[in-house]
Amino acid sequence: MTLLVTGGAGFIGANFVHYWRARHPEDAIIVLDALTYAGNRASLAGVDVDFVQGDIRQTALVEQLLRNRGVETLVHFAAESHVDRSIHGPAAFVDTNVLGTLSLLTAARSVWLAGDGTPHRFHHVSTDEVYGSLGPTDPAFSETTAYAPNSPYSASKAASDHLVRAWHHTYGLQVTTSNCSNNYGPYQFPEKLIPLFLINALHGRPLPIYGDGMQIRDWLHVEDHCRGIEAVLQRGRVGETYCIGGGAELLNIAVIDTLCAAVDAAFAADPALAARFPGAPAARGTPTASLKTTVTDRPGHDRRYAIDEAKARAELGYAPARDFATGFAATLAWYLANEGWWRAVLDGSYRDWVETNYAARG
């Protein structure tokens, strides 16, 4: 089949393209990406795709791609996704996440529902943040959890989820939606917790911890997420939503401590790292944890997220393949081996803003 992947040069989108190309070599993949700050063409190096630089809000362009390229499946990753940025500039999140999704739905309806109604699938990738915040003993989020978004980012994603649902129930568009937990892995832009803290640790910069660091997240390796989306596309029921989790509910401070210890161990095992990153405390035998510092908590910071993926397990046969220890070790190894990639994406004033002031959407 032919897939159109929006946001395919971003973190999760690029990983999905790598994943799909390796497992479905006969399929054609078209990537549509505006290449904003978090989109990086280099993340697709060596992958056979048809790349189109463009904005998902360009409805005519999307219609042209769907119609002229014979696209049967649209996988929608394109989104603004950093909570801190949404607090400082919410309008961009409404423009991309709400109006951009509306544009895609409009194009899909125009092309796919015209005439004899070509079989198709519009898959929308969303987040567990639309469900709000859990208390310490609350049951994990599931597909029946009421929406209660608390940030401009999560509110914009909730709005896009509702639009996708409405286009199915009103117009008959063949849609599915997945809501995932916190992703980590290769090609993640260093504004999110794990790559930000890894790169700060390598440069001896502060590791800014929001509040008490006791926020809890369910960590999902990006390849497991891609496996989950593949399962939805192949076996998911049209009109349904599926929660995709990593089964690794951890305190933010525990993730940070794991990261610090892993960096120390990597420097101890490989003396060459001290020469590559002389600013790292580990290069001098000082614990990376010495960089930890507490900063004022983020406004409206959700306390706990957790995913119950029972529906995905039962209907799709999905289960995460990597525990956090295995996934994190692979992620650290990737960032150490791909210094050129992350140095190339960290340029300009945004680099300074990210690296020195903010912890991740955590």
Side-chain angles (χ1 to χ4, degrees):
M1 62 181 175
T2 300
L3 293 84
L4 175 62
V5 180
T6 71
F11 164 46
I12 305 176
N15 276 279
F16 177 80
V17 169
H18 281 272
Y19 179 92
W20 198 271
R21 171 54 67 227
R23 288 157 182 80
H24 305 276
E26 70 284 359
D27 290 347
I29 302 175
I30 303 164
V31 169
L32 176 63
D33 198 294
L35 294 181
T36 57
Y37 78 90
N40 185 0
R41 183 71 188 272
S43 299
L44 298 173
V47 186
D48 178 21
V49 299
D50 185 358
F51 184 85
V52 178
Q53 183 171 352
D55 195 310
I56 59 173
R57 294 170 295 178
Q58 297 174 283
T59 310
L61 171 61
V62 179
E63 285 189 14
Q64 180 184 32
L65 292 173
L66 294 177
R67 182 176 291 110
N68 295 350
R69 306 293 182 90
V71 174
E72 302 154 305
T73 300
L74 189 157
V75 187
H76 177 31
F77 293 97
E80 294 281 354
S81 66
H82 192 212
V83 173
D84 289 316
R85 293 183 65 249
S86 81
I87 293 170
H88 292 278
F93 287 71
V94 174
D95 284 345
T96 298
N97 300 350
V98 182
L99 299 182
T101 300
L102 173 62
S103 171
L104 294 175
L105 291 167
T106 300
R109 179 189 174 205
S110 175
V111 175
W112 284 340
L113 298 184
D116 57 2
T118 304
H120 60 270
R121 177 67 64 87
F122 185 112
H123 181 70
H124 175 58
V125 180
S126 191
T127 172
D128 60 358
E129 297 189 38
V130 299
Y131 301 123
S133 185
L134 292 169
T137 61
D138 289 340
F141 299 134
S142 72
E143 293 80 4
T144 60
T145 302
Y147 276 45
N150 291 320
S151 71
Y153 161 62
S154 58
S156 69
K157 289 299 290 184
S160 66
D161 291 6
H162 293 322
L163 287 174
V164 172
R165 175 184 170 87
W167 256 244
H168 169 66
H169 285 276
T170 301
Y171 304 114
L173 196 68
Q174 296 169 20
V175 309
T176 44
T177 295
S178 55
N179 295 82
C180 69
S181 54
N182 274 39
N183 279 225
Y184 68 100
Y187 301 111
Q188 188 169 29
F189 188 83
E191 65 185 356
K192 304 298 177 73
L193 192 150
I194 287 177
L196 171 64
F197 276 38
L198 279 175
I199 293 170
N200 277 9
L202 295 175
H203 290 88
R205 298 181 181 126
L207 306 181
I209 301 167
Y210 277 137
D212 60 7
M214 300 298 284
Q215 303 86 2
I216 298 172
R217 301 295 182 259
D218 175 17
W219 291 90
L220 171 66
H221 190 275
V222 67
E223 185 170 302
D224 279 332
H225 187 190
C226 294
R227 289 177 51 250
I229 293 171
E230 177 187 46
V232 175
L233 291 174
Q234 294 179 335
R235 298 183 291 280
R237 290 182 289 139
V238 170
E240 291 295 312
T241 294
Y242 296 91
C243 287
I244 301 175
E249 197 175 338
L250 298 169
L251 293 167
N252 277 359
I253 193 65
V255 173
I256 294 165
D257 287 340
T258 296
L259 183 151
C260 291
V263 170
D264 292 345
F267 273 74
D270 183 2
L273 290 176
R276 287 173 58 192
F277 305 107
R284 305 183 299 274
T286 302
T288 300
S290 64
L291 297 172
K292 293 193 299 184
T293 183
T294 299
V295 298
T296 302
D297 205 356
R298 182 167 65 205
H301 201 175
D302 290 338
R303 194 65 171 172
R304 174 178 169 240
Y305 303 146
I307 285 281
D308 176 358
E309 72 262 6
K311 179 178 176 179
R313 287 177 184 267
E315 293 191 14
L316 311 176
Y318 167 78
R322 298 194 186 200
D323 59 23
F324 183 76
T326 303
F328 177 78
T331 300
L332 173 60
W334 189 90
Y335 277 90
L336 291 176
N338 290 273
E339 180 183 352
W341 180 88
W342 53 260
R343 285 198 183 279
V345 300
L346 285 173
D347 58 6
S349 60
Y350 191 73
R351 172 196 61 201
D352 300 327
W353 185 79
V354 167
E355 292 181 350
T356 61
N357 292 296
Y358 287 95
R361 171 183 80 99

